[in-house]
């Protein structure tokens, strides 16, 4: 049976998810609840089905589009938080505000991902679900190799931050096309465990089609710089000494 979240239950996760409004916290409780069918849990008001441990890790599903705003100046969870559940559903996610949100689950939501401000961190290869990804501001940062199961669009004063590994495949794989608008920035971080060496050419981005170029390519190294090499289906960088 579907769960109707008991009246006032959203207060139980208010301090854990302070950047969500009351209706959003109720949706977190609903999408992370225990299934029905357990005699000791299926009371009339259904309090027993609430799973506060799972709810502390954010949404379990986006059944409609979700917009979340984190404020770095507020500190605590408002400044930085992580959602660790595997998120499903037909809805999508829009990230706003100056704070940082990290998605670590193997997510399968279909409504796409939009980054408008602050930082969205992909802590899993499939953290961004099954839809398109659009970055119009702020930073999209990948902690590992990242896959986008749709199109990728970056525009405005936005930054894509990827991990650069030697003897490895591309840092970002996009199943459809990539469109890079004016002002787009690519920031590369060298992987200390699989650090590429000077003189090597390292794949960065692979897609069905690539249109546009990054305005600037940055590398976190005092001794190396990254020279972009574009093709119709992707981007590599050649590492040369400064």
């Amino acid at each position: 049976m579907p769960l109707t979240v008991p009246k006032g239950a959203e207060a139980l996760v208010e301090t854990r998810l302070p950047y969500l409004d009351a209706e959003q916290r109720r949706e977190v409780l609903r999408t992370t609840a225990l299934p029905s069918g357990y005699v000791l849990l299926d009371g009339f008001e259904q309090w027993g089905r609430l799973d506060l441990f799972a709810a502390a890790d954010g949404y379990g599903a986006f059944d409609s589009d979700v917009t979340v705003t984190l404020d770095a100046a507020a500190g605590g969870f408002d400044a930085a938080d992580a959602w660790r559940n595997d998120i499903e559903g037909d809805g999508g996610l829009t990230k706003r505000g100056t704070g940082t949100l990290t998605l670590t689950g193997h997510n399968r939501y279909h409504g796409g991902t939009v980054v408008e401000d602050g930082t969205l961190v992909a802590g899993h290869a499939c953290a961004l679900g099954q839809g398109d990804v659009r970055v119009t501001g702020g930073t999209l940062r990948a902690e590992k190799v990242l896959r986008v199961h749709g199109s990728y669009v970056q525009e405005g004063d936005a930054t894509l931050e990827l991990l650069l590994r030697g003897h490895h495949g591309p840092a970002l794989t996009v199943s459809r096309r990539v469109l890079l608008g004016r002002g787009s920035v690519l920031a590369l971080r060298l992987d200390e465990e699989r650090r590429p060496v000077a003189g090597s050419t390292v794949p960065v981005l692979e897609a069905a089609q690539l249109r546009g170029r990054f305005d600037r390519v940055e590398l976190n190294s005092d001794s190396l710089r990254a020279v972009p090499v574009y093709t119709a289906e992707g981007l590599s960088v050649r590492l040369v000494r400064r």
Side-chain angles (χ1 to χ4, degrees):
M1 297 293 292
L3 172 71
T4 299
V5 178
K7 183 179 180 180
E10 64 275 7
L12 296 174
V13 290
E14 183 173 0
T15 56
R16 174 60 188 87
L17 301 167
Y19 48 85
L20 299 181
D21 61 32
E23 189 58 37
Q24 288 177 318
R25 291 194 295 271
R26 290 178 65 83
E27 188 66 5
V28 169
L29 290 170
R30 187 188 69 81
T31 59
T32 56
L34 297 169
S36 63
Y38 297 94
V39 175
L40 295 180
L41 303 181
D42 285 350
F44 176 74
E45 294 184 341
Q46 305 189 68
W47 285 96
R49 289 180 58 188
L50 300 182
D51 187 345
L52 299 183
F53 292 99
D57 285 331
Y59 283 82
F62 296 150
D63 289 337
S64 59
D65 291 339
V66 172
T67 298
V68 58
T69 303
L70 282 78
D71 180 8
F77 292 124
D78 284 283
D81 200 2
W83 293 352
R84 300 176 179 85
N85 292 320
D86 296 335
I87 304 171
E88 302 180 347
D90 293 329
L93 173 67
T94 297
K95 163 67 177 68
R96 294 175 178 169
T98 55
T100 299
L101 178 64
T102 301
L103 304 178
T104 66
H106 185 162
N107 297 326
R108 298 178 178 85
Y109 61 89
H110 293 274
T113 305
V114 178
V115 183
E116 295 185 357
D117 197 7
T119 301
L120 180 66
V121 181
H124 188 284
C126 298
L128 303 183
Q130 303 292 317
D132 297 335
V133 176
R134 178 181 290 269
V135 185
T136 62
T139 299
L140 173 61
R141 182 168 74 232
E143 295 292 343
K144 302 178 181 179
V145 173
L146 181 62
R147 300 187 187 96
V148 172
H149 300 278
S151 298
Y152 177 82
V153 177
Q154 185 173 333
E155 56 191 12
D157 187 18
T159 299
L160 172 64
E161 186 177 325
L162 299 175
L163 188 64
L164 199 62
R165 296 180 172 186
H167 307 290
H168 203 278
L172 172 62
T173 301
V174 180
S175 63
R176 298 176 65 185
R177 74 170 186 167
V178 172
L179 179 60
L180 303 174
R182 291 183 178 181
S184 297
V185 176
L186 174 63
L188 300 172
R189 309 187 321 274
L190 293 174
D191 186 341
E192 295 302 325
E193 295 182 0
R194 298 186 178 93
R195 189 182 181 91
V197 298
S200 61
T201 299
V202 184
V204 175
L205 190 159
E206 182 180 278
Q209 181 186 34
L210 172 62
R211 296 181 60 185
R213 296 192 173 192
F214 291 102
D215 275 14
R216 189 169 72 254
V217 177
E218 303 172 348
L219 181 66
N220 67 335
S221 173
D222 295 329
S223 59
L224 299 174
R225 63 186 179 92
V227 178
V229 180
Y230 290 91
T231 69
E233 291 84 27
L235 166 66
S236 299
V237 293
R238 187 171 67 254
L239 299 181
V240 299
R241 296 191 182 278
R242 291 183 180 275

